[in-house]
Amino acid sequence: MPTGTLPHLGAASPSDPPPVRFRRRREDAAWRPYRPNLSASLAGAVALAPFVPVRHADGRVATLYADSARARSLKQSLEARAPEASEIIQIAPQGHVQALWAELLAASLSDFATNWLATRSPLMSARETLAAWQRWFLLGLLASLALWAWLDLASLFVAGGIVFSCLYLLLAGARLAAIAHGSHRGESDAARVPDRDLAAFSVLVAVHDEAAVMRQLVGALRDLDYPPSKLDIMILCEADDRPTLAALEQITLPDHVAVISVPPGLPRTKPKALNFGLPLTRGRFVTVYDAEDRPEPDQLRRAVAAHLEREQAIAAGAELRPLACVQAALHVTNRGEGFFAKHFRLEYMALFDAFLPALSKLRLPIPLGGTSNHFCRKALIEAGGWDPYNVTEDADLGIRLARLGYDTAVIRSTTFEEAPTRFGPWVRQRARWFKGWWQTWFVHMREPGRLADELGLAGFVAFQTVLFGVLVSMLVHPLFLAATFATVFSMTQAAPQEAGIEVLVRTLGAFNLVLGYAAAAALSWVGASERDQRGVIALLLQIPIYWLLLSAAGYLAVWDLIRRPHHWHKTPHKAVAPDFEPELESQGAFADGFQPTLAE
């Protein structure tokens, strides 16, 4: 597993193509970063510093400092001693300095973003979908099943029915267990942390082809209730995404917000963009938001409070594992925009308001949601950052953190976002999620014994149930449904009955199918009870139809995994109505017991 610190980053080479520039202040345009005579080690060390070497168009050199009381004092002191040297120190917003460092170190940051995890810990990287032994095992399994079907199809049907019925039963049991352990209604909110006790926080937002929501995004980021002096926000945009960059140029950004141009290159994924920005972060904590997100303003404070609460619990002698990440709930707001948005909303309520809180309470591995993850930066770096080749980097990172001995918790805070409203965008998004879960499962099953040892028996079973169970259940669901109809049909006929074992297997499959529907409906009901229950009954009755559509996405994911495993299906987003008001505030699930790790 990856351990240690970030590598040193060298400066960009002179042959690198000039990146797309983004300037917030016209007077800064003449100052550009330049490559001083620094070693790669020193360049990497100062990449996190609040200053950057720059050179003017007329040849003058200077040091550009991030605006702060200390920088202004230094400039005033220099001007008092040598007025003619006043331009040696220039002052600019914090975000501007970070953007210049990103430009200066673009080549090294790109190499880091793409290769760091795959180079340091290839077994944890999805750059290769299957390990050699996994490829041979799958080929052997498929050949054996084909031979079995040729020799005795009936016995294969019986064996497969029993295996898949057990898997369905396990998954239904997990949902029922979540109902028993996942309710956190009535728990008190975390106390507000005073400004002086707040740690520095870095926010990363990877955007691509998102011009329509940039003004909404900047507004949501501006509304975050956190001291600007302790907050730095980086909007990571592909350098060839001209429309999004143009949209950002039309917006006046706060001084602590930087627009970072990410050089284009493969794989073109969100985790690669996040890795590009990771070495530039200066916060003890790092969080991830998506372009369409609208987090509750106090979410960062709640995340810090969660880490501090766990830290205090450990200091008091509690036998708890360090906390690497806290996950806020995601909630869909466009429920009135059709079948897919309504069911997406129902899924999110079941997942973020019931299932994940249960996993957190039971200290089991949590496949993170792709946004509103609040990491301890030290733990994030130890885990190797995000895997740029995994298209559900969130789920993969959650498992990696658990394998390193860290906990993930769920906090009572909500991020609002929009769901796809049409079948095309919906099925492509779900196919990407399922494909990424397959990548995650194959990566972590490269060494099953080691995985079981690091997660423990309960964690290993939870991993298999949550990932493998969901993936396989979506693939076999149409078969179970067909077998159930066949069983019901045969019971209405006067023809001779089939062999007893086949009838038993069909009956068992039908029972588990109904139990699966019931468990999913009950979990959705519990999640919806944390929000509101308007229209939920009608949606619960539509679960069989929705699951068939999920099965279509599951098969598309397998096909995509074979054809183009690292392709990222982009989901289009649109801005919400200007009069949008969150339906509820702070109604997400809240997991008790928190603990932070120490700052770097």
Side-chain angles (χ1 to χ4, degrees):
M1 295 290 288
T3 58
T5 59
L6 291 171
H8 293 304
L9 300 171
S13 66
S15 61
D16 291 331
V20 175
R21 299 288 300 147
F22 174 74
R23 297 289 185 183
R24 288 199 309 279
R25 305 195 320 176
R26 186 178 302 276
E27 60 268 26
D28 292 331
W31 292 98
R32 298 181 60 87
Y34 81 106
R35 181 181 178 180
N37 187 22
L38 301 177
S39 67
S41 175
L42 182 57
V46 300
L48 301 180
F51 57 84
V52 63
V54 292
R55 180 164 51 200
H56 197 272
D58 61 11
R60 291 173 294 158
V61 296
T63 301
L64 191 68
Y65 274 82
D67 192 7
S68 67
R70 183 177 180 181
R72 289 192 297 270
S73 175
L74 180 62
K75 182 175 176 65
Q76 290 173 2
S77 176
L78 180 63
E79 289 175 342
R81 297 181 182 181
E84 67 278 6
S86 61
E87 285 199 357
I88 292 178
I89 293 181
Q90 298 292 319
I91 304 294
Q94 169 68 36
H96 189 66
V97 174
Q98 284 177 304
L100 292 177
W101 269 120
E103 180 177 330
L104 183 61
L105 303 178
S108 295
L109 288 170
S110 294
D111 179 71
F112 166 82
T114 305
N115 300 315
W116 191 46
L117 179 64
T119 301
R120 299 181 65 214
S121 187
L123 286 177
M124 291 294 114
S125 170
R127 183 158 62 181
E128 295 292 334
T129 303
L130 299 175
W133 76 266
Q134 290 175 321
R135 288 195 293 269
W136 287 110
F137 177 83
L138 282 178
L139 288 174
L141 178 64
L142 292 175
S144 300
L145 291 176
L147 180 61
W148 190 351
W150 182 62
L151 295 175
D152 190 354
L153 182 60
S155 65
L156 177 61
F157 167 79
V158 171
I162 293 174
V163 170
F164 292 136
S165 290
C166 291
L167 190 62
Y168 250 88
L169 186 62
L170 185 63
L171 189 55
R175 290 186 172 117
L176 294 175
I179 294 172
H181 293 89
S183 178
H184 295 278
R185 285 171 292 177
E187 293 180 357
S188 61
D189 293 336
R192 182 181 177 89
V193 178
D195 286 5
R196 65 178 179 276
D197 296 331
L198 292 173
F201 220 123
S202 296
V203 177
L204 300 178
V205 188
V207 300
H208 178 64
D209 195 18
E210 297 283 11
V213 296
M214 284 302 95
R215 192 168 296 277
Q216 172 184 287
L217 169 66
V218 172
L221 296 175
R222 186 184 285 115
D223 289 343
L224 289 173
D225 177 19
Y226 211 84
S229 62
K230 295 185 176 183
L231 183 64
D232 63 285
I233 300 173
M234 282 177 271
I235 300 176
L236 303 151
C237 183
E238 298 284 339
D240 58 356
D241 184 3
R242 308 281 178 161
T244 303
L245 287 170
L248 286 166
E249 287 179 348
Q250 304 303 315
I251 303 171
T252 301
L253 299 178
D255 286 350
H256 57 283
V257 176
V259 175
I260 306 296
S261 295
V262 180
L266 296 177
R268 184 169 288 223
T269 60
K270 170 185 168 183
K272 192 194 79 170
L274 295 176
N275 277 344
F276 187 90
L278 180 58
L280 300 172
T281 58
R282 63 188 181 100
R284 176 185 173 187
F285 301 111
V286 177
T287 195
V288 176
Y289 288 125
D290 284 343
E292 75 277 18
D293 285 352
R294 305 177 310 276
E296 290 183 318
D298 66 346
Q299 189 172 113
L300 300 186
R301 288 181 178 272
R302 289 177 183 269
V304 172
H307 283 280
L308 293 180
E309 188 173 337
R310 175 65 67 90
E311 183 179 58
Q312 293 165 2
I314 285 193
E319 295 184 1
L320 297 171
R321 294 188 300 181
L323 188 63
C325 177
V326 292
Q327 170 76 64
L330 305 181
H331 187 61
V332 169
T333 58
N334 58 331
R335 64 179 177 189
E337 296 188 17
F339 177 87
F340 294 104
K342 291 177 181 178
H343 278 278
F344 216 101
R345 170 189 170 90
L346 189 66
E347 274 195 284
Y348 267 28
M349 290 189 290
L351 178 64
F352 290 102
D353 294 311
F355 196 70
L356 292 189
L359 293 179
S360 173
K361 189 173 184 179
L362 295 171
R363 304 286 184 258
L364 294 174
I366 291 182
L368 296 170
T371 175
S372 306
N373 321 126
H374 306 283
F375 298 98
C376 171
R377 186 176 185 272
K378 183 178 180 181
L380 178 59
I381 291 171
E382 183 182 351
W386 296 272
D387 184 355
Y389 296 95
N390 191 314
V391 296
T392 50
E393 77 295 335
D394 41 7
D396 167 65
L397 182 53
I399 303 303
R400 260 190 286 141
L401 290 170
R403 295 185 66 172
L404 288 170
Y406 288 103
D407 269 348
T408 296
V410 179
I411 58 172
R412 187 189 293 274
S413 184
T414 300
T415 296
F416 301 94
E417 60 181 36
E418 302 294 287
T421 58
R422 295 179 292 110
F423 176 74
W426 174 86
V427 75
R428 287 190 290 272
Q429 184 182 62
R430 295 314 302 256
R432 174 175 64 80
W433 289 0
F434 288 147
K435 179 173 69 172
W437 276 35
W438 275 119
Q439 288 178 308
T440 300
W441 189 81
F442 280 122
V443 163
H444 291 282
M445 284 295 289
R446 287 170 178 171
E447 296 180 312
R450 179 181 172 188
L451 177 66
D453 182 62
E454 291 173 345
L455 293 183
L457 179 59
F460 184 78
V461 172
F463 170 81
Q464 302 299 339
T465 302
V466 174
L467 268 75
F468 188 70
V470 168
L471 292 169
V472 173
S473 68
M474 287 299 101
L475 296 180
V476 303
H477 172 252
L479 305 179
F480 267 59
L481 196 59
T484 299
F485 280 120
T487 300
V488 173
F489 178 77
S490 65
M491 293 173 63
T492 64
Q493 304 302 305
Q497 297 294 313
E498 299 176 273
I501 184 64
E502 293 185 12
V503 174
L504 179 62
V505 169
R506 283 187 179 181
T507 303
L508 179 63
F511 170 79
N512 282 320
L513 183 66
V514 174
L515 180 63
Y517 288 152
L523 186 66
S524 299
W525 178 268
V526 170
S529 68
E530 294 286 338
R531 303 285 176 177
D532 69 80
Q533 299 177 16
R534 287 174 290 174
V536 170
I537 297 296
L539 295 178
L540 297 181
L541 295 176
Q542 297 170 5
I543 283 180
I545 300 174
Y546 189 65
W547 278 19
L548 278 176
L549 296 174
L550 285 175
S551 296
Y555 280 100
L556 178 59
V558 173
W559 175 243
D560 221 28
L561 184 68
I562 297 171
R563 286 195 313 137
R564 44 182 187 177
H566 308 134
H567 175 72
W568 186 282
H569 282 298
K570 180 71 179 68
T571 303
H573 300 115
K574 62 180 181 179
V576 299
D579 59 348
F580 166 80
E581 292 292 341
E583 300 163 20
L584 295 174
E585 291 189 3
S586 305
Q587 293 297 308
F590 180 76
D592 55 335
F594 301 97
Q595 170 195 345
T597 50
L598 297 178
E600 289 191 285

